Amino acid sequence: MKSRTKVVVVGGGIAGCSTLYHLTREGWTDVVLLERNELTSGTTWHSAAQVTNFGVNQTMVGLKSHSIKLYKELAEDPDYPINYHYGDGGIRLANAEEQMKGYRHFTSMARGVDVHFEVIDAEECARRHPLISTDNLIGGLWDPLDGDIDPAQLCQALARRARKAGAVIYRNTPVIGLKQHEDGTWTVETDHGDIDCDIIVNAGGYRVNEIGAMMGVHHPVASMEHQYFLTEEIPLIREADHRMPLIRCPISDYYCRQEKNGLLVGFYEQECKLWGMDGISPHFVNALCPDDLDRVTDVLEGAFARMPSLMEVGIHSIVNGPITYTIDGAPLVGPIPGKRNAFCIIGLRAGLGEGGGLGWLLAQQIVHGESCYDTWCIDPRRFTGHANAELTSLKAIEDYQNEFRFHFPHEHRPAGRPAKTTPLTAALAAEGAEFTVVNGWERADYFKPSVDFKPSLTFDFDEAFEVIAAEVRNVQDNVGLCEVNGFNRLEITGADRLTFLDRLVCGNVTRRTGRVGLAYLLNHQGMIKSEATLAHLPATDRGPERIWYGSAAVSEFHDMDWLQQHLRPGEDVHIRSLTNDQTILVLAGPRARDVLGACARGNWSPEVFPWLSVRETFIGFAPATVMSVSYCGELAYEIHVPNASLYAAYLTLREAGKAHDLSMFGARAVESMRMEKGFLHWKADLITEFDPYETSLARFVKLDKGEFVGKAALLKRKENGARRKLVTLHVASSKTPAHKGSSLMDGEQVVGTVTSGDWGHRVEKNLAYAFVDPAFAENGTLLQLDLCGYSTSTKVIPFSPYDPTFMRVRG
């Protein structure tokens, strides 16, 4: 066995084989795959192996589209063809108009990555699949390229190509230990000897946490038992002149596809069952769980009603095997949090359909540091310390029970709530807060007008519209208070802290104590990596001179990894997380200064404490750090308070605010206001697919400063010109907001994609941000927006339609 290689991939299912193959396609051929048994002996071998284009965002659609193209190429390889039923077509059924509206949105979104769905009515569903009934059916979403593939043949074909390129595969070689050295390299211990490598990849399927334990990490992945059966031959299928399309039914929680002249029918029952929570036998290889059809009786009845022919045919065989789930149902593909040179491709509940594309994106990240798509939706760092095994299990059950039910806008499902709270959570709930979830944190979304207030799940503006409008009006006219918990806060100290940050930021780093600045960090390709608020605090009895690095709540692990990866040996820089120790209270509105002055000593006038200032103080007797910054477009103060004193600070502010009609506001009001101000949202508008010039952030780039990460690549990109430009849009609809991913059209041509959308209550406009082709980026340009299936007039308008001179922010 080899003793040294560049990459070791652990696991020989679709995840490992795809990663190995794509590493060779990216030019790395000194790579090894280790499989404890035979290839495909885990979940892969019993997969139903459906291959669809459908995904809930463009990244997922794009990687699935890559899978389909790759599998078709493999199937047509004359030297090693594989069985792939390509283009049978598939229908996702619907029995509610809002589901159909969602399908129309996904059709618009997929069009932007050149994938073409069709929304069809119930009669057309039955025409294309003659075995289904139209009872309680409105229509469905048609994917013309849906199909299925032989899982073992697929993995062997990928392994064959990888071997031909120089990769090595060792079967029957269990990994028994993983050791990382000071230089970041790894030693992989196996029964057959050790292999040293630069990079390790966990592709362990349902044994993911056995491998994770060897690294000292736990992955938020749980396994569920999943059953399907194969029917005897069905005459109508045998006599048909085409293969039957695939069916996925959120009405009755089942799916089916043709298998020979019968059907493969699978179930997502409500009385589902976790698997492997107390450990997995080392002998569970090419194995199944005991059959348990009694558990799926209710689902089976729904399948019988939709497909009556199932009642007239026998069951040929039953398969019950484990499949893996994560907290949100999407895979974990990318860097392992807190580890150098370690990656994973795990939690693939739909592994065969997605595996080709996931391995493609992971190989790009390993070789180049970034992939062609922004992969945050599958990034392992999107979950942080709350993602333990118990929470993962609760969310896995919930996701399994809702397998074919997409999330509606502003839908927050109840399992695993509340994972993270502050001392204010109960108090805000008592005031009527409806909560959203941000990286596990319960954050007030808005404040309900009555206890039983419950908006509809819809793609239109919901019944909370006027509630949010009232919260915005109070912030605009008086003063409001909002809790922002979980905000990522890193304290950076040491003599080299400023030069360290200057090396990472593409613009200026604030060097004056008492001042705050907004900064952007680029990756090595010159694209947007992170956005951070940098507050330069002077030395006081609370600590030495230091920088507070603040960024989005979900970026907690992501940004810490990026900063630590760029520390140089001997550099006097120390990074400490305060994320879970402090919470922000945002005081906003034209009377905010009056409220602050009534409960905190000192001069808060704009001459003494202007916009973008920071000061340590007390709110009453609660220690606090106050920043004059605004994400809402009004005079505002971020008040950072240790959690132990948070309730005391809150009570003090509420008491001081009584004289000024202070009331609470939530995250949805903030979202509306930030859209009006031209402020961007990380991983919505700020993504790794675009550089700061394309993202309309040229004012934050200082090319005349010294070297910074991504500068060389950015200079080349600037010479080549922008591929797209981020613009603000006025959407001519009072009923429906623009949803992320919706396509902008010029005739039949897609010329842009929406990144964010919401109603601007102060400017009374339906607003959106979108990346568009540069030729369509000029103010005044008219475009058509495919808004949930309807062509809607849209106009490019200047950024910051509310108070463009920033006079209100300055107070």
Side-chain angles (χ1 to χ4, degrees):
M1 195 166 74
K2 293 180 72 169
S3 61
R4 186 74 175 82
T5 189
K6 194 166 188 64
V7 182
V8 169
V9 179
V10 183
I14 180 60
C17 291
S18 177
T19 302
L20 191 76
Y21 164 73
H22 283 99
L23 283 170
T24 65
R25 289 299 301 268
E26 295 297 326
W28 284 15
T29 57
D30 181 16
V31 291
V32 167
L33 184 146
L34 302 178
E35 165 53 44
R36 70 192 310 273
N37 300 111
E38 294 290 343
L39 297 184
T40 74
S41 59
T43 294
T44 300
W45 80 272
H46 62 72
S47 169
Q50 300 169 93
V51 183
T52 175
N53 262 318
F54 181 78
V56 296
N57 56 55
Q58 287 190 336
T59 297
M60 295 305 296
V61 173
L63 68 88
K64 290 182 179 186
S65 179
H66 174 86
S67 294
I68 289 173
K69 292 171 185 173
L70 171 62
Y71 298 171
K72 189 170 186 290
E73 176 190 330
L74 293 172
E76 294 171 351
D77 185 341
D79 296 328
Y80 195 84
I82 64 174
N83 293 326
Y84 177 29
H85 298 122
Y86 168 82
D88 289 350
I91 312 172
R92 290 175 184 268
L93 304 178
N95 66 342
E97 286 295 344
E98 285 300 329
Q99 284 177 298
M100 294 293 285
K101 188 171 291 184
Y103 289 161
R104 293 186 183 97
H105 164 65
F106 294 129
T107 300
S108 173
M109 177 266 294
R111 185 184 299 172
V113 286
D114 199 28
V115 170
H116 301 279
F117 299 142
E118 183 183 357
V119 179
I120 57 178
D121 62 22
E123 288 69 30
E124 184 62 17
C125 290
R127 189 189 72 78
R128 297 187 188 190
H129 199 303
L131 296 181
I132 69 170
S133 163
T134 59
D135 291 346
N136 188 31
L137 185 67
I138 293 178
L141 180 71
W142 171 259
D143 175 3
L145 299 186
D146 218 332
D148 67 271
I149 198 165
D150 185 298
Q153 289 182 3
L154 169 60
C155 291
Q156 293 291 352
L158 293 168
R160 173 178 174 270
R161 288 194 172 192
R163 286 189 182 104
K164 287 182 68 175
V168 178
I169 297 174
Y170 297 113
R171 298 170 296 123
N172 300 305
T173 307
V175 173
I176 58 176
L178 294 169
K179 180 181 179 182
Q180 188 163 32
H181 306 286
E182 287 189 9
D183 64 357
T185 62
W186 293 86
T187 294
V188 183
E189 300 171 358
T190 81
D191 283 348
H192 299 162
D194 296 349
I195 304 179
D196 293 326
C197 63
D198 297 327
I199 294 168
I200 188 79
V201 178
N202 184 346
Y206 53 67
R207 297 189 185 275
V208 50
N209 277 311
E210 295 177 9
I211 301 166
M214 299 178 198
M215 297 186 190
V217 300
H218 171 80
H219 297 287
V221 176
S223 295
M224 306 290 300
E225 287 190 17
H226 177 61
Q227 293 186 97
Y228 63 79
F229 63 63
L230 304 172
T231 74
E232 301 286 1
E233 186 174 277
I234 297 174
L236 186 58
I237 293 179
R238 184 186 65 239
E239 296 161 6
D241 60 358
H242 62 87
R243 286 181 56 83
M244 291 293 151
L246 289 82
I247 293 290
R248 296 175 183 84
C249 183
I251 307 165
S252 301
D253 297 307
Y254 83 97
Y255 63 89
C256 74
R257 66 168 176 82
Q258 184 170 333
E259 178 68 16
K260 297 183 179 177
N261 285 327
L263 290 174
L264 181 155
V265 186
F267 307 97
Y268 290 96
E269 69 280 7
Q270 296 303 296
E271 298 299 320
C272 52
K273 187 176 179 181
L274 290 160
W275 180 85
M277 288 294 291
D278 297 319
I280 303 168
S281 168
H283 307 296
F284 193 86
V285 178
N286 282 109
L288 294 172
C289 309
D291 300 344
D292 191 4
L293 281 186
D294 289 343
R295 203 169 72 228
V296 302
T297 300
D298 291 346
V299 183
L300 189 56
E301 289 176 357
F304 285 163
R306 181 62 59 204
M307 303 179 74
S309 60
L310 287 176
M311 293 184 283
E312 303 169 4
V313 66
I315 295 176
H316 177 271
S317 56
I318 301 170
V319 173
N320 183 19
I323 57 176
T324 56
Y325 277 78
T326 65
I327 287 182
D328 64 357
L332 301 175
V333 180
I336 296 175
K339 293 292 177 181
R340 295 168 59 198
N341 302 326
F343 296 81
C344 60
I345 176 168
I346 54 179
L348 279 60
R349 80 181 197 278
L352 268 293
E354 301 171 353
L358 293 172
W360 172 57
L361 295 181
L362 180 60
Q364 292 177 51
Q365 292 179 68
I366 293 171
V367 175
H368 307 295
E370 211 75 72
S371 70
C372 58
Y373 298 149
D374 186 288
T375 55
W376 183 246
C377 64
I378 56 175
D379 195 300
R381 297 164 298 188
R382 69 187 189 273
F383 307 120
T384 56
H386 64 292
N388 55 41
E390 285 71 21
L391 179 61
T392 301
S393 299
L394 291 173
K395 297 303 288 185
I397 290 169
E398 182 180 64
D399 217 59
Y400 185 96
Q401 292 170 332
N402 291 278
E403 176 68 28
F404 298 131
R405 299 184 188 95
F406 54 78
H407 278 78
F408 281 92
H410 308 299
E411 178 185 6
H412 306 290
R413 292 175 179 170
R417 307 273 302 272
K420 291 193 279 192
T421 61
T422 75
L424 287 191
T425 305
L428 298 182
E431 293 208 39
E434 179 68 23
F435 292 95
T436 183
V437 181
V438 181
N439 190 27
W441 292 95
E442 296 288 331
R443 185 178 293 179
D445 215 17
Y446 58 89
F447 289 80
K448 297 181 287 188
S450 62
V451 173
D452 58 354
F453 181 77
K454 190 174 179 62
S456 308
L457 294 179
T458 176
F459 279 80
D460 293 334
F461 292 113
D462 63 23
E463 294 86 346
F465 185 89
E466 292 300 334
V467 175
I468 295 159
E471 292 182 5
V472 172
R473 279 195 299 272
N474 189 65
V475 172
Q476 182 183 24
D477 297 338
N478 301 305
V479 60
L481 187 65
C482 174
E483 181 193 47
V484 181
N485 51 20
F487 188 74
N488 184 44
R489 184 184 295 97
L490 304 175
E491 183 177 86
I492 304 176
T493 57
D496 298 324
R497 67 191 181 283
L498 293 175
T499 54
F500 166 69
L501 285 169
D502 197 52
R503 197 169 68 244
L504 292 176
V505 170
C506 66
N508 291 328
V509 173
T510 180
R511 295 180 175 272
R512 287 172 49 200
T513 59
R515 298 297 292 165
V516 180
L518 188 61
Y520 290 90
L521 291 74
L522 310 183
N523 61 23
H524 295 281
Q525 289 74 33
M527 309 296 206
I528 297 289
K529 186 71 175 178
S530 295
E531 177 190 60
T533 301
L534 302 180
H536 196 160
L537 296 170
T540 66
D541 58 353
R542 298 185 193 176
E545 188 174 323
R546 60 209 182 277
I547 297 288
W548 271 13
Y549 174 111
S551 57
V554 293
S555 72
E556 180 183 350
F557 282 3
H558 174 279
D559 284 14
M560 177 65 89
D561 277 357
W562 186 252
L563 295 176
Q564 290 185 331
Q565 287 167 12
H566 288 86
L567 285 172
R568 291 175 177 171
E571 202 163 28
D572 184 14
V573 175
H574 309 278
I575 306 172
R576 180 169 70 105
S577 176
L578 303 176
T579 300
N580 298 302
D581 301 331
Q582 301 216 9
T583 294
I584 301 172
L585 295 173
V586 174
L587 187 66
R591 300 181 184 179
R593 184 179 290 114
D594 298 328
V595 175
L596 181 61
C599 55
R601 287 185 289 116
N603 186 340
W604 299 98
S605 68
E607 295 77 22
V608 175
F609 194 75
W611 183 41
L612 300 179
S613 296
V614 59
R615 176 192 297 176
E616 291 178 342
T617 187
F618 292 87
I619 302 298
F621 56 80
T625 303
V626 177
M627 300 182 195
S628 178
V629 294
S630 176
Y631 195 52
C632 63
E634 305 292 344
L635 173 66
Y637 301 100
E638 282 187 4
I639 304 170
H640 299 244
V641 184
N643 283 336
S645 304
L646 183 64
Y647 187 55
Y650 163 78
L651 291 176
T652 300
L653 289 164
R654 291 305 304 266
E655 182 63 28
K658 287 179 179 178
H660 303 283
D661 297 322
L662 180 145
S663 64
M664 303 300 298
F665 66 101
R668 287 182 64 175
V670 174
E671 180 69 7
S672 168
M673 291 186 284
R674 72 100 181 171
M675 293 289 302
E676 296 173 303
K677 279 305 299 171
F679 294 152
L680 308 183
H681 197 294
W682 190 69
K683 292 309 177 188
D685 320 300
L686 300 167
I687 59 177
T688 58
E689 294 176 32
F690 300 102
D691 64 41
Y693 297 112
E694 294 168 323
T695 315
S696 297
L697 294 171
R699 65 193 183 280
F700 292 98
V701 178
K702 305 299 179 186
L703 292 176
D704 56 352
K705 63 180 279 188
E707 287 302 312
F708 57 84
V709 172
K711 181 176 181 179
L714 184 62
L715 286 168
K716 289 183 179 179
R717 294 187 58 80
K718 187 179 181 184
E719 289 178 6
N720 294 333
R723 298 160 304 148
R724 288 209 164 181
K725 290 285 290 185
L726 187 70
V727 299
T728 302
L729 302 168
H730 176 204
V731 180
S733 171
S734 59
K735 178 183 178 183
T736 307
H739 296 288
K740 181 178 175 63
S742 297
S743 289
L744 286 156
M745 312 294 297
D746 178 49
E748 294 299 312
Q749 179 187 4
V750 177
V751 297
T753 299
V754 169
T755 59
S756 297
D758 208 342
W759 186 268
H761 290 281
R762 294 171 298 190
V763 297
E764 290 297 319
K765 286 183 171 64
N766 191 353
L767 301 173
Y769 297 151
F771 281 102
V772 301
D773 292 347
F776 301 93
E778 291 297 320
N779 291 332
T781 301
L782 296 177
L783 295 168
Q784 294 300 308
L785 173 64
D786 183 350
L787 189 57
C788 295
Y790 298 96
S791 182
T792 305
S793 178
T794 306
K795 183 179 180 181
V796 178
I797 63 174
F799 268 99
S800 191
Y802 180 72
D803 185 30
T805 61
F806 281 65
M807 292 301 295
R808 295 182 68 90
V809 170
R810 292 179 169 87

